[in-house]
């Protein structure tokens, strides 16, 4: 088992990565907790034992469960169960569960501890780490949320063995991103070590910028185009696949702007291909719509802002000229 600390002073917590990590649950629960509300989804084939009296609460399926009514239903169920502020919520599942249960934990009794048992690759390397919780509104994704750091995160790599292949591939898109944020060749590492290293890279960024006032933007590497693709309808791409296309686009754009050389663009293509992820924009999509959507990205405070690789590593680059964006997009079909 590899333990990665997330260093946040009084809110620091361990992330345990490895096969069977879920079995450490009882050991990481907050001292004094007397009962646990275990929040999960029906499709999550993972059973946990908190070693305390507990109740299993099943939220709705898929991304649709990331809604305010789920938070209300969970808080009402916590009340009926008699959960107090000294007790604990355990979220078992992917990002939908950790985001919704995390928000319920953040607001129930003005904050009760939460432990995430992340069962998808995407949750292990991204959603369960960092403390951002949230739900969607009909008007947009993640518009209501809170920063609420977990007390611990368990990334059980055994649970990845039963993940549907398309779900696993989606997680690979987020993992591909870390190849360019940590400065080393993650491709050489075994899966457990690669998950742990991805977690460590994210933990370091979160420790520097817990509330997303600057450096955390690098975690959005590849996401500006990815979000535009998803908003435009997804075109059959899952989140991580859209991120993969976004990474290739960001590399090509950085090259056009003279920030990286051709070999570095090739590194991006190699990593994306090594995971069997897509590198092109689906042909049916209108590039003009993508540019308009990217210009609307909530991180775009000055012109179109992208997170791009360069001589100082990956960093936000504001005011990228629309003509460069359009020309780069043309290379992406
Ligand atoms: N929960 C994901 C993050 O904090 O980045």
């Amino acid at each position: 088992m590899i333990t990665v600390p997330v260093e946040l002073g009084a809110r620091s917590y361990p992330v345990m990565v490895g096969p069977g990590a879920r079995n450490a649950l009882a050991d990481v629960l907050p001292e004094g907790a007397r009962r646990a509300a275990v929040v999960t989804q029906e499709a999550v084939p993972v059973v946990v034992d908190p070693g305390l009296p507990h109740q299993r609460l099943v939220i709705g399926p898929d991304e649709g469960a990331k809604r305010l009514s789920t938070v209300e239903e969970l808080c009402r169920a916590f009340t009926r169960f008699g959960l107090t502020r000294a007790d604990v919520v355990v979220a078992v599942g992917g990002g939908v569960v950790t985001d919704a249960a995390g928000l319920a934990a953040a607001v129930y009794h003005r904050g009760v501890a939460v432990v995430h048992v992340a069962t998808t690759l995407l949750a292990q390397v991204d959603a369960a780490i960092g403390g951002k919780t949230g739900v969607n509104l009909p008007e947009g994704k993640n518009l209501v949320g809170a920063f609420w750091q977990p007390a611990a995160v368990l990334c059980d790599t055994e649970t990845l063995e039963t993940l549907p292949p398309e779900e696993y591939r989606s997680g690979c898109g987020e993992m591909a991103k870390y190849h360019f944020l940590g400065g080393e060749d993650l491709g050489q590492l075994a899966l457990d070590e690669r998950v742990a290293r991805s977690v460590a890279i994210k933990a370091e960024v979160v420790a520097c910028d817990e509330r997303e006032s600057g450096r955390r933007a690098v975690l959005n590497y590849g996401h500006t185009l990815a979000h535009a693709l998803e908003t435009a309808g997804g075109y059959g791409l899952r989140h991580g696949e859209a991120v993969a296309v976004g990474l290739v686009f960001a590399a090509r754009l950085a090259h056009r702007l003279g920030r990286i050389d051709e070999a570095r663009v090739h590194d991006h293509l190699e990593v994306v291909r090594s995971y069997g992820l897509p590198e092109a924009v689906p042909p049916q999509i209108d590039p003009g719509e993508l540019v308009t959507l990217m210009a609307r990205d909530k991180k775009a405070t000055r012109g179109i802002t992208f997170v791009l690789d360069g001589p100082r590593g990956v960093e936000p680059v504001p005011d990228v000229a629309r003509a460069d964006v359009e020309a780069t997009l043309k290379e992406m079909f």
Side-chain angles (χ1 to χ4, degrees):
M1 196 79 69
I2 307 171
T3 301
V4 180
V6 182
E7 307 278 9
L8 289 166
R11 292 180 305 289
S12 297
Y13 53 95
V15 181
M16 296 171 73
V17 182
R22 67 186 183 281
N23 299 321
L25 179 59
D27 302 328
V28 299
L29 296 184
E31 252 176 60
R34 286 183 301 122
R35 59 184 71 194
V38 178
V39 180
T40 191
Q41 284 179 308
E42 206 57 75
V44 177
V46 176
V47 176
V48 295
D49 180 6
L52 295 174
H54 59 280
Q55 190 169 76
R56 184 169 173 268
L57 302 170
V58 179
I59 63 172
D62 307 322
E63 174 90 9
K66 257 185 73 162
R67 54 199 294 165
L68 270 171
S69 59
T70 300
V71 174
E72 180 180 358
E73 282 158 22
L74 284 174
C75 289
R76 292 181 64 185
F78 296 165
T79 308
R80 290 192 297 271
F81 179 46
L83 204 76
T84 72
R85 198 190 282 167
D87 293 325
V88 62
V89 173
V90 178
V92 183
V96 169
V97 177
T98 58
D99 278 7
L103 180 56
V107 296
Y108 180 72
H109 287 201
R110 300 190 179 84
V112 55
V114 62
V115 171
H116 296 314
V117 181
T119 64
T120 66
L121 184 56
L122 203 123
Q124 294 186 0
V125 299
D126 189 33
I129 320 290
K132 286 200 286 182
T133 68
V135 294
N136 304 328
L137 294 178
E139 288 76 11
K141 287 180 73 164
N142 295 320
L143 290 181
V144 178
F147 287 97
W148 191 244
Q149 298 294 345
V153 180
L154 304 178
C155 299
D156 190 337
T157 48
E158 231 167 54
T159 66
L160 304 179
E161 287 163 17
T162 51
L163 215 55
E166 62 281 7
E167 182 63 48
Y168 183 77
R169 256 159 61 86
S170 186
C172 288
E174 282 293 343
M175 204 150 68
K177 170 185 88 177
Y178 292 107
H179 285 243
F180 304 99
L181 300 184
E184 77 257 38
D185 185 3
L186 297 191
Q188 302 301 316
L189 303 177
L191 179 64
D192 288 6
E193 291 167 344
R194 207 182 304 184
V195 170
R197 187 61 197 127
S198 300
V199 168
I201 294 168
K202 178 154 186 180
E204 187 270 319
V205 173
V206 169
C208 292
D209 180 20
E210 185 183 6
R211 293 289 175 125
E212 199 167 33
S213 51
R215 181 147 150 66
R216 248 202 202 216
V218 302
L219 297 173
N220 272 340
Y221 192 39
H223 283 61
T224 309
L225 178 60
H227 287 153
L229 284 166
E230 290 175 290
T231 307
Y235 294 86
L237 294 175
R238 296 176 83 89
H239 176 71
E241 293 174 320
V243 170
V245 176
L247 289 172
V248 173
F249 171 77
R252 293 210 159 118
L253 181 57
H255 180 248
R256 178 173 292 275
L257 299 178
R259 296 176 55 86
I260 59 172
D261 60 16
E262 190 64 50
R264 186 69 172 160
V265 177
H266 192 71
D267 290 346
H268 283 71
L269 283 164
E270 287 285 286
V271 167
V272 164
R273 286 172 189 162
S274 73
Y275 287 110
L277 289 162
E279 60 192 75
V281 171
Q284 65 273 37
I285 196 156
D286 169 15
E289 186 189 1
L290 287 180
V291 177
T292 304
L293 287 167
M294 285 192 281
R296 255 193 241 151
D297 192 276
K298 65 175 181 284
K299 307 268 174 330
T301 48
R302 288 199 284 150
I304 310 186
T305 297
F306 286 91
V307 177
L308 297 177
D309 202 0
R312 290 179 299 277
V314 171
E315 62 185 355
V317 179
D319 287 330
V320 176
R322 204 176 169 109
D324 287 322
V325 178
E326 285 167 353
T328 308
L329 257 186
K330 279 206 186 109
E331 297 172 31
M332 292 295 297
F333 286 86

